[in-house]
Amino acid sequence: MSSGTPVELPSALRKRRMRPSATSKRNQAFVVSLLTLCATLSIATTVGIVTILLTESFGFFSRIDLGDFLLGTEWTIGRSKNEADYKYGIWPLLLGTLRITLIAMAIAIPLGLTTAVYLSEYAPRWVRAILKPVLEILAGMPTVVLGYFAVVVITPSLLEPLGFKPYNAMSAGIAVGILCLPLVSSLAEDALQAVPRGLREAAYGLGGTRFDSVVKVVIPAAMSGIVSAFLLAFARAIGETMIVALAAGSIPTFTVDPRGPSQTMTGFIVEVFQSEDVIPGTIAYYSIYAVALTLFLLTFITTLIGQFVRRRYREAYE
Amino acid sequence: MSEADYQVPAVDPQRAKNRHTISAIFRVACMLVAVQAVVILIVLLTTVFVRGVDQLSWDFLTGVHRDDNPDGSGLWPAIIGSIVICLICGAAALPIGIGTAIFLEEFKPRNKALAILHNLVQLNITNLAGVPSIVYGILGLTAFVYMFGLFGTYEANKAADLEFGAQRYYQVRTAAKTFVWIPVTDKTLRVLEIEEPIAARYPDGGDFTLNVIDRGATKPTDPTVLGQTVYRGSKASIFAKHPWHYLRLPFHKSVLSAGLTLALVVLPIVIISSQESIRAVPDTMRDAGLGLGCTRWQMVRTIVLPASIPGIMTGAILAMSRAVGEAAPLLAVMGGVVGKRNAPENLMDNAAAMPITIYNWARDDNPGFWELSATAIIVLLCLLLTMNSIAILLRYWAEKKFASR
């Protein structure tokens, strides 16, 4: 090179410390073992969750009949003073959870998917610039806030005129739906955008309209991603706690009627913590773990199915 | 190919027109549905604002909760409590989360056993992200609050078996009707009966020997001496002073338990977002570092980490804003604390937190508290908005930095 200024060596070369000396290799070994320790902590968390739920709920299942738990239609733990009067049928709680989750899904899936289609296929830049942050704010909204919204807005102004009770499953379901909507739309949009342009252009080339390309080509091509987005939202809705604790009431009911109060599994757990008069060692205390175990299994299986769908049915393009 | 092998479909202009109409209608329908999200957000924010803005005042921000009176209640202990819990959560979750992300992205092992661990961790994190936060609350309750019962059960006012930094005193009233403290030697003795002179201390410091006089004897006239004198047989009861460095096992229902539990809740979020920003660093930069003869860790430390720090920070702030808004795990770990009048004084102290306060006010029998709940929501949302704007600015800055490369 003819220019007068000498080329400066990169800092990594100037610093002698940056060479692979015996010390630096020892440092690396030390750091790697630290990092491995960090990583194993996440496994320890899972092991911790599973162990605690299994061992503590053993205190519950060793005292009651498993058949009563799985088939019973009455759940009265914490309702009567006398432990002998308790009924341990999980179905009212399970049904309460499923009822609210299904209402939430009925709102989040169509709205979320349509929003995703609009964002991915139609939205001009300036609409995206508004809609994306709005969805992000909704996604980051604390759940107590949505619960409050359900109690002071959704129930009195939308549902009570229709004959719903002050605390009802519908209101909680709508709020949970609002919570899941951004999750569905952002994951589904990712899936839609992963579909290559070429497929859309082929649809146009065959004379299809944009509607044809979306409905007949893009959505089917992104189906695995969309389904796994639904399943994630489903798992989120099952585990949602604060909204149902505020808006759904606290009476476990064995019904499918969304107009009355209902209690979910999470709602029951929160109610027990809230009351604070549950003594460790009693059957009411152990019942938290039994309910939490059911909840964990339900969400875990849903997440696993989601991952399976994503892997098994993914259409790879390139 | 001859012409007879294929057939061009007959063009039906009416049908084509219909299809275009459907497409146009679909476009409008999509837009209307998408706008729903904006409508929901506007209605939500307006409601909260209209209901809550009247009570928003300096007194509300600096006041404390009062059971009977919504008008005088404030949020100060809850604000500080939330911030302390969030700081503990960050201090635990960020190093561990970023460390795990580096392990997963930069140190892919060739060793078979380690490779299995590697895949297991990756699979596990995706699953952990889907676990409901109330389940983490139950984990935190068993692991941090009670420590699996390893250290015995905790009882209020009883000294824990393992504690550091707690100072215990007996408090006794002197003849001058002031209180003085006597250091404790035997923790099991709840009440001390004073029969003879004993070493004592003023509450604001200064040691002296406590005089003992009989009931009915003439009192000393000097107020200083009077303040150092008790009647024979006076009873002094035990109490504990917990300085800021006080620690105890198990952690019981404390801000430390709450912060660690929230750290577990946000850990998967921190890991996943850190992984993404580490993955965004181009491989050419890694190769350049390795080509210069760095070890892998030196390369990560000097090249990958500086380049991915803005992205990692963005994810970290978003995770923290999630932690600030979480209520369910806190409810499990700390119980529904609402009436706490002061900020936590040490890590073992209980505290009020904003989401818990909002929850309790929203379900109070007194409707005045419902309005107050909206005010607290405004404060919480302002905090979240600030955190999110910082995250967005960081992301913008990071994108610009990467675009120039």
Side-chain angles (χ1 to χ4, degrees), chain A residues 67-145:
Chain A
D68 284 352
F69 180 75
L70 291 179
L71 300 172
T73 57
E74 252 187 298
W75 180 271
T76 58
I77 290 179
R79 308 243 154 250
S80 57
K81 289 278 160 241
N82 192 355
E83 229 176 69
D85 295 343
Y86 286 173
K87 297 214 168 65
Y88 317 105
I90 189 72
W91 275 101
L93 294 183
L94 209 55
L95 212 57
T97 304
L98 290 179
R99 198 175 349 157
I100 287 177
T101 307
L102 289 181
I103 296 169
M105 289 299 103
I107 287 167
I109 289 180
L111 292 187
L113 183 57
T114 322
T115 309
V117 166
Y118 182 70
L119 276 174
S120 155
E121 309 294 320
Y122 290 105
R125 256 202 151 155
W126 66 271
V127 180
R128 266 187 85 87
I130 298 173
L131 214 51
K132 276 293 238 183
V134 164
L135 287 171
E136 269 173 41
I137 294 174
L138 265 186
M141 192 62 69
T143 52
V144 268
V145 177

